[in-house]
Amino acid sequence: MTDASAPPDAPQPAGGPGRRRAPGPGRSRWLAAGGVAVLAGVLGLTLALRAGATPACAAPPAAAPPAAAVPVAAAPPVGGAVHKGKATFYDSKGAGGNCSYPSAPANRLYVALGPSEYAAGAACGGHLDVTGPKGTVRVLVMDQCPECAPGHLDLSREAFARIADPVQGVVSVSYRAVVDPPLPGPLAFRIKEGASRYWFAVLVADHGNPLRAVEVRQGDSGGWRAADRQDYNYWLVESGVGPGPFSIRVTDVYGHRVIAGGVRLTPGQVQRGTVRMYGGATAGGGRPAARSASPRPSASPSPRASSPRPSPSAAPASAGPSAPDTPVVPLAAEAPAAGCRN
């Protein structure tokens, strides 16, 4: 994870006046000859106009440069639509990647997405089923691959080995988002180092689907403060929320919404709540909120999609027997958040 910093000032171009060349002895003769040529040209043009000669056509205007291609809107894969692409592999060396998890999942099944699908952190914590020559593997989105084009998945070495022979290096794959994957437990929260009553940032984990919104309020009553998603996967309230404890309302891209209460202002520590994002009863300090009335959003169209996206009411597709258990987001450790993918 790297904090944003102002780019260095661009260097100013250097330069100076060129050296002038003194006129030579033949300069006056050149001027005289040039004057005669100019006079003859003017007289010729006048005679041609008087005689009714048709002037030469002007050169056609230069063709306008082609319009720039419309950029693909950044959005994480959602909805279970099948995409085609390619996969490579890398090793995070145990770090949790651009999504700021303290470490990689214990089963080491994870993926880094290119900027258009990482979508400034919007894909963090979601899951993909990736199918290659040897089978299918389920991976956790935990990192960004800055050089990857849309459709290029950079898998962990262990995940790649599940779908292809690592000797191949690059293979064609299909992949789709997993809708409502099994959850490892209740939501987990990590308040960022440096947070105070005047500046608040929280990492939310074990939510299964990509998140759409996080809101925070002081205590159990009062108005909700919308947090802004950062590209390193923390949710920020720049002016702070107060001394805590807090209630945190979490909404995912499919409309699941829950409220977790009693989150304390303890920077750097993982706090496991008692409410699940979906699919289970709650206990104690958390409670499910009313499900959002808005329909399930669909991602921006992808040039790689080979089939239309399902309707919002479509049931989640089964992962199939070859898909392993859902990777657990590694928030048990309380180490500082990891940096960007190398």
Side-chain angles (χ1 to χ4, degrees), residues 15 21 56 74 93 114 125 135 210 278 308:
R21 180 177 298 173
K93 299 181 176 13
Y278 50 80

Side-chain angles (χ1 to χ4, degrees), residues 31-316:
L31 290 174
V36 172
V38 170
L39 179 61
V42 171
L43 292 175
L45 177 60
T46 303
L47 292 175
L49 291 175
R50 287 179 178 177
T54 302
C57 295
V70 177
V72 177
V78 297
V82 176
H83 306 265
K84 302 290 186 180
K86 66 179 180 179
T88 53
F89 64 89
Y90 80 109
D91 187 355
S92 76
K93 299 181 176 13
N98 242 142
C99 291
S100 297
Y101 301 131
S103 63
N107 62 11
R108 296 187 59 80
L109 301 179
Y110 54 83
V111 63
L113 301 180
S116 65
E117 293 180 297
Y118 180 78
C124 287
H127 300 81
L128 303 180
D129 279 346
V130 184
T131 301
K134 290 173 56 177
T136 299
V137 64
R138 180 165 295 177
V139 290
L140 169 73
V141 179
M142 74 159 207
D143 210 350
Q144 178 175 208
C145 173
E147 69 275 16
C148 289
H152 181 174
L153 310 182
D154 210 11
L155 299 167
S156 66
R157 182 183 296 270
E158 291 81 0
F160 190 93
R162 298 279 189 96
I163 64 166
D165 186 344
V167 173
Q168 294 179 264
V170 182
V171 295
S172 296
V173 296
S174 62
Y175 62 99
R176 63 182 178 185
V178 183
V179 182
D180 294 354
L183 297 172
L187 289 173
F189 303 93
R190 186 178 189 275
I191 307 298
K192 193 171 182 4
E193 292 85 354
S196 69
R197 64 185 301 165
Y198 305 109
W199 186 87
F200 181 88
V202 62
L203 174 69
V204 184
D206 292 344
H207 42 79
N209 300 311
L211 295 184
R212 187 178 70 195
V214 170
E215 301 159 283
V216 187
R217 71 183 179 192
Q218 171 71 35
D220 293 328
S221 61
W224 292 101
R225 301 283 302 280
D228 296 323
R229 190 203 319 265
Q230 306 300 297
D231 61 3
Y232 51 91
N233 197 32
Y234 272 84
W235 294 81
L236 174 66
V237 180
E238 186 72 40
S239 59
V241 186
F246 310 103
S247 294
I248 300 181
R249 185 163 66 183
V250 183
T251 308
D252 71 16
V253 295
Y254 303 118
H256 301 103
R257 175 180 286 176
V258 295
I259 298 172
V263 179
R264 294 169 290 114
L265 185 60
T266 53
Q269 295 184 14
V270 175
Q271 301 178 59
R272 178 70 61 178
T274 56
V275 60
R276 292 174 180 263
M277 194 69 210
Y278 50 80
T282 61
R287 61 188 181 277
R291 181 152 176 167
S292 173
S294 59
R296 291 186 177 188
S298 58
S300 299
S302 167
R304 306 174 310 285
S306 58
S307 60
R309 298 189 181 276
S311 64
S313 59

